[in-house]
Amino acid sequence: MAVTLKDVAREAGVAISTASRALSGAADPITSTGTRERVREVARRLKYRYNLHARCLRTGRSETVGILACDLGQRIGLAKLLAVEAAVREKGYRTLLRYRHQAGLKGRQLGFAQEFASSEVEGAIVINVDAEHSGPLGALIQRGIPVVSLEPLEGVPADVVTVDRMAGAYLLTKHLLDLGHRRIGLLCSSLTTPGLAERHWGYQQALAECGCSFDEAVFARLPSNVALGTCVRGYEAARELLARRPLPTAVFCSNDEVAFGAMKALAEAGLRVPEDMAVVGFDDIEMAAFAPVPLTTVRQPVGEQATQAVALLFERIANPDDERPPRAIRLKPRLVVRASSGGPVVVSDGRED
Amino acid sequence: MAVTLKDVAREAGVAISTASRALSGAADPITSTGTRERVREVARRLKYRYNLHARCLRTGRSETVGILACDLGQRIGLAKLLAVEAAVREKGYRTLLRYRHQAGLKGRQLGFAQEFASSEVEGAIVINVDAEHSGPLGALIQRGIPVVSLEPLEGVPADVVTVDRMAGAYLLTKHLLDLGHRRIGLLCSSLTTPGLAERHWGYQQALAECGCSFDEAVFARLPSNVALGTCVRGYEAARELLARRPLPTAVFCSNDEVAFGAMKALAEAGLRVPEDMAVVGFDDIEMAAFAPVPLTTVRQPVGEQATQAVALLFERIANPDDERPPRAIRLKPRLVVRASSGGPVVVSDGRED
DNA sequence: ATAATGGCTGCAAACGTTTCCGACGAATCG
DNA sequence: CGATTCGTCGGAAACGTTTGCAGCCATTAT
C-alpha cells in the first residue's frame, strides 16, 4: 500500500542500501552527489515517508519520550505539560502522552508507567503522579529507562527538578507576617502529600521564626472529590473555614484556583479582600492577575523547570551506562505581590534563601 | 539488553511462535492451557515486555492516534485535549501529541501534519489548527490517514465534530437583546477566521432579528501577539473599546478568558458589571463561575465532542476502503446565565434551534 | 486395526529499514 | 606502468514479532 524504500530504489535504479544512505545521511558524502539528488528527487515524487517502526526496530532507538501525568485539574500542570512538550520537541524527539484521570484510577489498579512496551520510549518525564504509581515508576527505571520528575518522589531513584515549594510557602507566609497577620488560615487537600507537605513546612517555618505556632483550627481540608474542580473545592473548604471562630485574618491557598474559590466564599460572607481577610495563592497562573482582587502569589518557573528536566533526561539517555546517583534540582519561585494581600505591590525575587 | 520473546521461548522450552501465541491471544485456546500458563509464568518472571516496533512493523498497525493542536492558550482547548486523550485511551490506543506553539511557527514553515512518518499513526484528531496547516492536513488524508477535526476546516475533506458556535453566539446575543441591550460590543481577534466568523454570524443574526444592525465601531480587535496571554489581550482590546463613544451597554467576548480581561478593564474604568455594562463570555471554563462577577457564557459540550470525534475516527480506521464523503456533526452549546449579564440567573438548554 | 480427524506445536517467511562487509572502478602515487 | 588507496555502491544480515503452513501425536470413528 504505502510507498516503501524498495519502491524508491527500484524507481531510481539503485540498491535499497544506496537509497537508504541517500535519504538518511544529511551531509555525509557517503553517496555521490549525483545519485543522492536523484534518489531524493524520486522520493519526493513518490511522496516517500520512512516507516517509523522499521527504523526504530533496526536502530533500537524510538526517539520518543513519554509524558506521565495523573491529575491536570490545575492550569499550572497543563502549562508544564506544554512546556515539556516544547522542550522535547526542541531535541527532535516525539512525545507520547500518558494521562490518567484521577476518576479512572479505581478502574485499573495497574500503574500506567509499566505499561510502556519495550523500546516504546527512551525516557519519561513525570509531571505529576500520585503515590500509588511510584512502584511502577521504579520498575520503569529498573528497565533502564531514565525518568525525571517535576514533583518530589518518594522511594524512587529518579532525577527530580522541582520548584522549591517550601521556599515559596515561606515567602508567602513571611509576607503575610510582615503585614501583621498572626492567624493565617490554610486551605489544602492534605498536610502529608510530598508536594503539599513541603508547602506546609515553609509555612510553619515562617510562623516559628515569628514566635507563632500552627493551630490546627485554621486548617481546612479540600474535599477529595476531584471531579468537582479545584475552584469549587477551594470554595467549599473556605466555607468550612469561615464557619469557625476566631476567624483568621489571612488565608493561604495551596494554589491559585483554590484562591479563586476562597474569594468567592469570602465575598458571599460579606468579607472584603484584603481589608477583612488577605488571600494568597500559589503558581501565578495567568488569571491570577485577573481575579476578583488581583492575587498575591508565587510564580513557578515553568519554562526553566521543563528545560532543565528535559536536559537532565537527555543526558541520561545519552549515557545509559552512567550509574551516577539521582540528582535533585530545586528551582526558586518568585514572590508576586498584588492587591489581595494588602501589601505594597512589588515583586521581590526571593533568591536570598 | 532487553529480554525478548526468544529468551522467553528458550527458557520455557518452546518455539518462538508458540511463545508468541501463548502471550498474545487472550482466550483463544490455540495453545494448550499447560504451555500457555508455563510461558506466561516465565514471561512474568523475566519481566518480558513485547517490542512495540517489531509488533507494529509486522502487523502494520500502530494503535496510535495523533493529536494535533496549534494554540492551547485557552483552558477550553486543554480540556478538549484531555477529553480526546481519555476517549482514545478508552479504545486501547496510544496518543501521540503534536503541538505547535504559535510563537514557533515562523521557525519552520513545514506543516507538522505531514511530518508523521509512515505508519506512525492510524488516524489523527485535530483540536485546533490555524489555516496555514490545512494543506498538510490534506496531504495526510491523501495518504489514507483519517482525520477528524474539532474546529471547522476549509478545503480539507475531513470529518468534523464541531460545537455550533453560531448557535452559541445567537443564544448569547439574543439573551442580551432580551434584556434590552441594543448596542453590544464585540471583542475578538478576527471576524473572518472560521470559528470566529461563525460566532459573528450568530451575533449578527440575532441583531438582525431585532431590527438592529452591526456597527463596526463596537468591534475591537484583540492584539495578535499570543505570547501576551488571552486575558491580557482581552484587557487591551476592552481598553480600546472603552475609549470610543458612544459606549456600548454590553460586550460580547470571544471566550471566557477575554471576558476576564474585559472585566478588569471595566473595573479600572470605574464601570460596574452588569449595571453599567453587561459582559458575556464563551466556553464556560470552570473559572467562569468564579470571575469578579460570575460570568454568563455558553457551555461547550467538551466530553461529548471528544467522544463523538473519536468514534468517527475509529469508524474510518476500521473501514479504510470506505469512500464515504466527509461528515459534519454540530453539537449544540448551552446557555449558562450568571450575574454578569444582569438577567435572572437561569439555565436554558438551547435545543430549540 | 487402520484411517481419518483435529488439536498443538515448530519452522520459516515476512514486515521495512539500517549497516557491516566485500567488490568494483577510478584516481593517485611510487 | 603497476600497485595501492579511496570513494561509491550492491548484497545480505539483522532487529523482534506475527502468522501461514506443515508435521506430529493422540483421539475417535469405521
Side-chain angles (χ1 to χ4, degrees), chain A residues 235 259-269 292, chain B residues 289-290 294 338:
Chain A
Y235 170 79
F260 266 78
M263 281 194 189
K264 181 167 188 173
L266 289 174
E268 287 181 0
Chain B
F290 297 86
R338 298 199 184 92

Side-chain angles (χ1 to χ4, degrees), chain B residues 107-231:
Chain B
R108 306 180 54 186
Q109 288 294 6
L110 273 187
F112 60 152
Q114 70 181 153
E115 289 175 12
F116 281 122
S118 173
S119 77
E120 182 168 6
V121 296
E122 293 182 45
I125 299 269
V126 176
I127 305 282
N128 191 349
V129 303
D130 23 335
E132 325 168 34
H133 289 107
S134 58
L137 273 183
L140 198 62
I141 296 173
Q142 219 165 4
R143 278 167 54 194
I145 299 175
V147 171
V148 179
S149 172
L150 304 190
E151 295 288 328
L153 234 45
E154 284 191 18
V156 178
D159 293 334
V160 288
V161 179
T162 54
V163 173
D164 191 338
R165 290 227 168 69
M166 196 171 120
Y170 177 86
L171 285 174
L172 284 167
T173 312
K174 189 75 168 37
H175 171 67
L176 290 172
L177 289 166
D178 286 348
L179 292 170
H181 296 280
R182 285 298 175 272
R183 191 165 177 83
I184 303 173
L186 189 59
L187 260 39
C188 61
S189 54
S190 152
L191 257 29
T192 53
T193 310
L196 297 171
E198 273 192 52
R199 260 175 269 216
H200 186 223
W201 292 335
Y203 166 90
Q204 272 193 322
Q205 183 185 337
L207 236 51
E209 282 182 12
C210 197
C212 304
S213 66
F214 175 55
D215 180 358
E216 282 272 358
V218 299
F219 165 58
R221 186 184 303 273
L222 264 51
S224 56
N225 180 2
V226 273
L228 284 179
T230 314
C231 295

Side-chain angles (χ1 to χ4, degrees), chain B:
Chain B
M1 185 63 191
V3 36
T4 153
L5 197 52
K6 199 199 298 190
D7 302 324
V8 175
R10 178 162 22 81
E11 187 76 8
V14 295
I16 299 182
S17 52
T18 307
S20 172
R21 276 186 281 252
L23 292 174
S24 60
D28 337 347
I30 192 97
T31 55
S32 72
T33 319
T35 43
R36 191 165 65 239
E37 284 314 311
R38 186 156 41 93
V39 170
R40 292 194 171 178
E41 149 62 19
V42 171
R44 217 173 302 129
R45 184 155 50 82
L46 298 186
K47 297 192 205 305
Y48 166 77
R49 297 252 65 209
Y50 72 91
N51 183 296
L52 178 76
H53 303 294
R55 173 180 289 185
C56 292
L57 174 59
R58 172 61 222 224
T59 61
R61 293 178 302 114
S62 62
E63 299 192 337
T64 303
V65 325
I67 299 183
L68 269 38
C70 270
D71 176 22
L72 256 29
Q74 279 90 258
R75 191 63 173 78
I76 192 75
L78 291 157
K80 291 184 181 185
L81 168 65
L82 262 32
V84 167
E85 204 273 349
V88 168
R89 195 150 183 73
E90 186 74 22
K91 301 269 188 182
Y93 268 47
R94 268 170 281 274
T95 53
L96 200 63
L97 179 59
R98 242 4 171 235
Y99 178 58
R100 192 64 98 222
H101 295 255
Q102 199 102 356
L105 267 179
K106 51 174 173 277
R108 306 180 54 186
Q109 288 294 6
L110 273 187
F112 60 152
Q114 70 181 153
E115 289 175 12
F116 281 122
S118 173
S119 77
E120 182 168 6
V121 296
E122 293 182 45
I125 299 269
V126 176
I127 305 282
N128 191 349
V129 303
D130 23 335
E132 325 168 34
H133 289 107
S134 58
L137 273 183
L140 198 62
I141 296 173
Q142 219 165 4
R143 278 167 54 194
I145 299 175
V147 171
V148 179
S149 172
L150 304 190
E151 295 288 328
L153 234 45
E154 284 191 18
V156 178
D159 293 334
V160 288
V161 179
T162 54
V163 173
D164 191 338
R165 290 227 168 69
M166 196 171 120
Y170 177 86
L171 285 174
L172 284 167
T173 312
K174 189 75 168 37
H175 171 67
L176 290 172
L177 289 166
D178 286 348
L179 292 170
H181 296 280
R182 285 298 175 272
R183 191 165 177 83
I184 303 173
L186 189 59
L187 260 39
C188 61
S189 54
S190 152
L191 257 29
T192 53
T193 310
L196 297 171
E198 273 192 52
R199 260 175 269 216
H200 186 223
W201 292 335
Y203 166 90
Q204 272 193 322
Q205 183 185 337
L207 236 51
E209 282 182 12
C210 197
C212 304
S213 66
F214 175 55
D215 180 358
E216 282 272 358
V218 299
F219 165 58
R221 186 184 303 273
L222 264 51
S224 56
N225 180 2
V226 273
L228 284 179
T230 314
C231 295
V232 177
R233 294 168 65 215
Y235 171 79
E236 296 291 349
R239 277 173 57 97
E240 191 190 320
L241 183 68
L242 291 179
R244 307 197 195 145
R245 290 295 177 277
L247 276 181
T249 61
V251 57
F252 182 134
C253 304
S254 63
N255 62 54
D256 291 347
E257 278 90 351
V258 169
F260 267 78
M263 281 194 189
K264 181 167 188 174
L266 289 173
E268 287 181 2
L271 296 172
R272 291 163 304 163
V273 175
E275 295 84 352
D276 299 322
M277 194 174 297
V279 176
V280 299
F282 209 106
D283 291 349
D284 195 29
I285 61 178
E286 191 201 352
M287 288 223 171
F290 297 86
V293 179
L295 189 62
T296 290
T297 185
V298 133
R299 180 175 305 165
Q300 295 208 34
V302 174
E304 192 186 347
Q305 192 183 15
T307 315
Q308 295 231 26
V310 170
L312 244 55
L313 186 69
F314 275 88
E315 202 179 303
R316 292 259 182 210
I317 291 177
N319 308 70
D321 307 318
D322 201 344
E323 292 287 347
R324 92 172 72 179
R327 286 159 298 177
I329 296 181
R330 301 171 89 81
L331 302 173
K332 296 297 174 200
R334 184 164 156 252
L335 183 63
V336 177
V337 178
R338 298 199 184 92
S340 75
S341 57
V345 177
V346 293
V347 172
S348 90
D349 72 354
R351 287 190 203 284
E352 58 274 353
D353 187 329

Side-chain angles (χ1 to χ4, degrees), chain A residues 14-15 17-18 21 29 31-32 35 57-58:
Chain A
V14 295
S17 53
T18 307
R21 274 186 286 253
T31 55
S32 71
T35 44
L57 174 59
R58 172 60 223 226

Side-chain angles (χ1 to χ4, degrees), chain A residues 12-289:
Chain A
V14 295
I16 299 183
S17 53
T18 307
S20 173
R21 274 186 286 253
L23 293 175
S24 60
D28 338 345
I30 192 95
T31 55
S32 71
T33 318
T35 44
R36 191 164 64 240
E37 283 315 311
R38 187 157 41 92
V39 170
R40 292 194 170 180
E41 149 61 20
V42 171
R44 217 172 302 127
R45 184 155 50 81
L46 297 186
K47 299 194 204 305
Y48 167 76
R49 298 252 64 208
Y50 73 91
N51 183 296
L52 177 78
H53 302 294
R55 174 180 288 184
C56 292
L57 174 59
R58 172 60 223 226
T59 61
R61 293 177 301 115
S62 63
E63 300 192 338
T64 303
V65 326
I67 299 183
L68 268 38
C70 270
D71 175 22
L72 257 28
Q74 279 89 259
R75 192 62 173 77
I76 192 75
L78 291 157
K80 290 185 181 184
L81 168 65
L82 263 30
V84 167
E85 203 274 351
V88 168
R89 193 148 184 74
E90 185 74 22
K91 301 270 186 181
Y93 268 48
R94 266 170 284 273
T95 52
L96 200 63
L97 178 59
R98 249 347 179 243
Y99 177 57
R100 190 63 98 225
H101 295 257
Q102 202 101 356
L105 267 178
K106 49 174 172 276
R108 305 180 54 183
Q109 289 292 7
L110 274 187
F112 60 151
Q114 71 181 151
E115 290 175 10
F116 280 123
S118 172
S119 77
E120 182 168 6
V121 296
E122 293 182 46
I125 299 270
V126 176
I127 305 281
N128 191 351
V129 302
D130 22 337
E132 326 168 32
H133 290 107
S134 57
L137 274 182
L140 198 62
I141 296 173
Q142 217 166 3
R143 276 166 55 192
I145 298 176
V147 171
V148 179
S149 173
L150 305 189
E151 295 288 328
L153 233 44
E154 284 191 19
V156 178
D159 293 334
V160 288
V161 179
T162 53
V163 173
D164 191 337
R165 291 229 167 70
M166 197 171 119
Y170 177 86
L171 285 174
L172 284 167
T173 312
K174 189 75 167 39
H175 171 68
L176 289 172
L177 289 166
D178 287 348
L179 292 171
H181 296 279
R182 285 300 175 270
R183 189 164 179 83
I184 303 174
L186 188 58
L187 260 39
C188 60
S189 55
S190 152
L191 257 31
T192 53
T193 309
L196 297 171
E198 276 192 50
R199 259 175 270 215
H200 186 222
W201 292 334
Y203 166 91
Q204 274 193 321
Q205 185 184 336
L207 236 50
E209 283 183 12
C210 197
C212 305
S213 66
F214 175 55
D215 180 358
E216 284 271 357
V218 300
F219 165 59
R221 185 184 303 273
L222 264 51
S224 56
N225 179 3
V226 271
L228 284 178
T230 314
C231 296
V232 176
R233 294 168 65 216
Y235 170 79
E236 297 291 349
R239 278 173 57 99
E240 190 189 320
L241 182 67
L242 291 179
R244 307 197 194 146
R245 292 293 179 276
L247 276 180
T249 61
V251 58
F252 182 135
C253 304
S254 62
N255 61 54
D256 291 348
E257 278 91 350
V258 169
F260 266 78
M263 281 194 189
K264 181 167 188 173
L266 289 174
E268 287 181 0
L271 296 172
R272 291 163 305 162
V273 175
E275 294 85 353
D276 299 322
M277 193 174 299
V279 175
V280 298
F282 209 106
D283 292 348
D284 195 29
I285 60 179
E286 190 202 351
M287 287 223 172

